[in-house]
Amino acid sequence: MLSLTQAIRISLGSIGSSKLRSALTTLGIIIGVAAVIANVSLGASFNQYFNDEIGAVGSNFIVIYSQNIDVFFDKELEIIENTPGVEGVSPINQQMAKVTFMSTSRQIDIQGVTQDYDEVANFEMDSGTFLTDKDRYVAVIGADVAYEKFDKKISIKNPIDITFRRKDGGVVTQTFIVKGVIKDPNTTFAQTGVEPEIRVFIPIETMNEIIDRDDYGGFFIKARSLDVVREVADEVDKRLARSLGVPSRDLDNDDAKPYVVFDQMEVLEQTNQLSAALTSLLTSVALISLLVGSIGIMNIMLVTVAERTREIGLLKSLGYNEKDILSLFIIESIIVGLIGGILGTFLGIGIALLANNILGVPDVFPTSLIFMGFFVSIVVGLVAGVYPARKAARMNPVEALRKE
């Protein structure tokens, strides 16, 4: 009866006696496992990157925009403020307006907000500070507006002129002093529609006074936590619909409501789907490499069986049974797979680190990746070694001993 220790010792001896053959066999597994680990890690890194980008433009946010004028007023603002789970809310009015600085004019999105907008949007200031509810004719501008839009860079305390369209169709120009510049969150892929770098923010009371409006275009809301964002969004939606006379049966019909609601979870779901699709594609390609590696192991093990025919016959003549021979060859193929898995895991992590650094995404290595690398390599070695092992175990000892 062949013990496990003896089988491992004999297998290691066989692997060591044919170093080049063993190295070439292991190479297929190394490449396959490395490709799987690197690609799965890249997928997880991209997922984290998308989540970080979305978090950079808002914290647990819910956005509501009216589709008509004169929909939202102070009554609706109060309803939202009193909704359980709402931690902060800023009413919003926006208008594309002409902004003039040093005789250069550009069309820029102007947003009237309150000081709570800063808390919801999770801003990081490049210079200066954000608006307060006591401010009047001051503005906070995005980095793109400050540094890219005009011929000269805009700094804090610089004056800018904004030309608004009034409710009655007339225009009015007002001078604002720049109070702060918002740092660009660099949201390259995840666009949420609330990107601060391309906007100018002014107090909403000042904006409504200038354009002669008393309603709001929408609300930017912060939920207590990301876990309750969807629940809070649904509750706000329900309360607003009731306040605006939308029947409960039409609550899920966006066309029946005069406003649109979307939240951070919706954006995360979209980016997670993109990340999952990317990961699946990359992993599928990697699995092909792993399949090729497993075929390589099977091929080499078949060659090994042919080369060791006399050895197999000798073992059988000494009393080793089919189960012993089967175990011997399966263990050898598992060891080859395991060695390839260990080396492939380290290679895969190295490739992922390099790729993450080049692409500028965070390093994410789920612990399960390490175990997956070992598990996959062992399974590949086991599966690839079964057929050659069975062939060796069923050899006729007399015929095997006659083999030259």
Side-chain angles (χ1 to χ4, degrees), residues 301-313:
M301 291 302 294
L302 284 170
V303 173
T304 302
V305 170
E307 288 179 350
R308 296 165 65 186
T309 301
R310 286 180 60 81
E311 178 188 334
I312 294 167

Side-chain angles (χ1 to χ4, degrees), residues 229-268:
V229 163
R230 181 59 53 80
E231 180 184 331
V232 173
D234 290 343
E235 183 62 26
V236 168
D237 188 12
K238 188 186 302 180
R239 294 187 179 206
L240 286 178
R242 188 185 306 125
S243 172
L244 297 171
V246 178
S248 57
R249 65 176 179 275
D250 293 331
L251 194 59
D252 295 329
N253 183 2
D254 291 337
D255 295 332
K257 296 183 289 189
Y259 60 87
V260 175
V261 180
F262 72 90
D263 57 64
Q264 187 169 358
M265 286 302 298
E266 289 184 42
V267 183
L268 284 173

Side-chain angles (χ1 to χ4, degrees), residues 354-370:
L354 179 62
N356 291 345
N357 185 56
I358 293 172
L359 295 172
V361 297
D363 295 323
V364 179
F365 297 102
T367 307
S368 57
L369 276 181
I370 308 299

